[in-house]
Coordinates of all heavy atoms in Angstrom, one line a residue:
S214 N 94.3 115.6 121.4 CA 95.7 115.3 121.5 C 96.0 113.8 121.1 O 97.2 113.4 120.8 CB 96.2 115.6 122.9 OG 95.8 114.6 123.8
R215 N 95.0 113.0 121.2 CA 95.2 111.5 120.9 C 95.1 111.2 119.4 O 95.5 110.2 119.0 CB 94.0 110.7 121.6 CG 93.8 111.1 123.0 CD 95.0 110.7 123.9 NE 94.9 111.2 125.2 CZ 95.8 111.0 126.2 NH1 96.9 110.3 125.9 NH2 95.7 111.5 127.4
I216 N 94.5 112.1 118.6 CA 94.2 111.9 117.2 C 95.3 112.4 116.3 O 95.6 113.6 116.3 CB 92.8 112.5 116.8 CG1 91.7 111.9 117.7 CG2 92.6 112.3 115.3 CD1 90.4 112.5 117.5
R217 N 96.0 111.5 115.7 CA 97.1 111.9 114.8 C 96.6 112.4 113.5 O 95.6 111.9 112.9 CB 98.0 110.7 114.5 CG 98.4 110.0 115.8 CD 99.2 110.8 116.8 NE 99.7 110.0 117.9 CZ 99.6 110.4 119.2 NH1 99.1 111.6 119.4 NH2 100.0 109.7 120.1
I218 N 97.2 113.4 113.0 CA 96.8 114.0 111.7 C 97.6 113.4 110.5 O 98.8 113.4 110.5 CB 97.1 115.6 111.7 CG1 96.3 116.2 113.0 CG2 96.6 116.2 110.5 CD1 94.9 116.0 113.0
I219 N 96.8 112.9 109.6 CA 97.3 112.3 108.4 C 97.0 113.2 107.2 O 96.2 114.1 107.3 CB 96.8 110.9 108.1 CG1 95.3 111.0 107.8 CG2 97.0 109.9 109.3 CD1 94.6 109.7 107.3
S220 N 97.6 112.9 106.1 CA 97.3 113.7 104.9 C 95.9 113.3 104.4 O 95.5 112.1 104.3 CB 98.3 113.4 103.8 OG 97.9 113.9 102.5
S221 N 95.1 114.3 104.0 CA 93.7 114.0 103.6 C 93.7 113.1 102.3 O 92.8 112.4 102.0 CB 93.0 115.3 103.3 OG 93.7 116.1 102.3
E222 N 94.9 113.1 101.6 CA 95.0 112.3 100.4 C 94.9 110.8 100.7 O 94.7 110.0 99.8 CB 96.3 112.6 99.7 CG 96.4 114.0 99.1 CD 97.7 114.3 98.4 OE1 98.4 113.3 98.2 OE2 97.9 115.5 98.0
H223 N 95.2 110.5 102.0 CA 95.2 109.1 102.4 C 94.1 108.7 103.3 O 94.1 107.7 104.0 CB 96.6 108.7 103.0 CG 97.7 108.9 102.1 ND1 98.0 108.1 101.0 CD2 98.7 109.8 102.0 CE1 99.0 108.5 100.3 NE2 99.5 109.5 101.0
A224 N 93.1 109.6 103.4 CA 92.0 109.3 104.4 C 91.2 108.0 104.1 O 90.7 107.4 105.0 CB 91.1 110.5 104.4
D225 N 91.2 107.6 102.8 CA 90.4 106.4 102.4 C 91.3 105.2 102.3 O 90.8 104.1 101.9 CB 89.7 106.7 101.1 CG 88.6 107.8 101.2 OD1 88.0 107.9 102.3 OD2 88.4 108.5 100.2
D226 N 92.6 105.3 102.6 CA 93.5 104.2 102.5 C 93.3 103.2 103.6 O 92.9 103.6 104.7 CB 95.0 104.7 102.5 CG 95.4 105.4 101.2 OD1 94.5 105.6 100.4 OD2 96.5 105.7 101.0
D227 N 93.6 102.0 103.3 CA 93.4 100.9 104.3 C 94.6 100.7 105.2 O 95.7 101.4 105.0 CB 92.9 99.6 103.7 CG 94.0 99.1 102.7 OD1 95.1 99.6 102.6 OD2 93.6 98.1 101.9
V228 N 94.5 99.8 106.1 CA 95.6 99.5 107.0 C 96.9 99.1 106.3 O 98.0 99.5 106.6 CB 95.2 98.4 108.1 CG1 96.4 97.9 108.8 CG2 94.2 99.0 109.0
A229 N 96.7 98.3 105.3 CA 97.9 97.8 104.5 C 98.7 98.9 103.9 O 99.9 98.9 103.8 CB 97.4 96.8 103.4
A230 N 98.0 100.0 103.5 CA 98.7 101.1 102.8 C 99.6 101.9 103.9 O 100.6 102.4 103.5 CB 97.7 102.1 102.2
F231 N 99.2 101.9 105.1 CA 100.0 102.5 106.1 C 101.1 101.6 106.5 O 102.3 102.0 106.7 CB 99.1 102.8 107.4 CG 98.3 104.0 107.2 CD1 97.0 103.9 106.6 CD2 98.7 105.3 107.6 CE1 96.2 105.1 106.5 CE2 97.9 106.4 107.5 CZ 96.7 106.3 106.9
D232 N 100.9 100.3 106.6 CA 101.9 99.3 107.0 C 103.0 99.2 106.0 O 104.2 98.9 106.3 CB 101.3 98.0 107.3 CG 100.4 98.0 108.5 OD1 100.5 99.0 109.3 OD2 99.7 97.0 108.8
N233 N 102.7 99.4 104.7 CA 103.8 99.3 103.7 C 104.4 100.7 103.4 O 105.3 100.8 102.6 CB 103.3 98.7 102.4 CG 102.2 99.5 101.6 OD1 102.2 100.7 101.7 ND2 101.3 98.8 100.9
G234 N 103.9 101.7 104.1 CA 104.5 103.0 104.0 C 103.9 104.0 103.0 O 104.1 105.2 103.1
T235 N 103.0 103.5 102.1 CA 102.4 104.3 101.1 C 101.6 105.5 101.7 O 101.7 106.6 101.3 CB 101.4 103.5 100.2 OG1 102.2 102.4 99.7 CG2 100.8 104.3 99.1
A236 N 100.9 105.2 102.8 CA 100.0 106.2 103.4 C 100.6 106.7 104.7 O 100.0 107.6 105.3 CB 98.6 105.6 103.7
A237 N 101.8 106.2 105.1 CA 102.4 106.6 106.4 C 103.1 107.9 106.2 O 104.3 108.0 106.4 CB 103.3 105.5 106.9
V238 N 102.4 108.9 105.9 CA 102.9 110.2 105.6 C 102.4 111.2 106.6 O 101.2 111.6 106.6 CB 102.5 110.7 104.2 CG1 103.1 112.1 103.9 CG2 103.0 109.7 103.1
G239 N 103.2 111.7 107.5 CA 102.8 112.6 108.5 C 103.6 113.9 108.5 O 104.3 114.2 107.5

């Protein structure tokens, strides 16, 4: 329940990609 599910396409993305929204796809 603690682990959020992201798209597998962004599994190798770094923190910056989430912070700029590129990988923040839920």
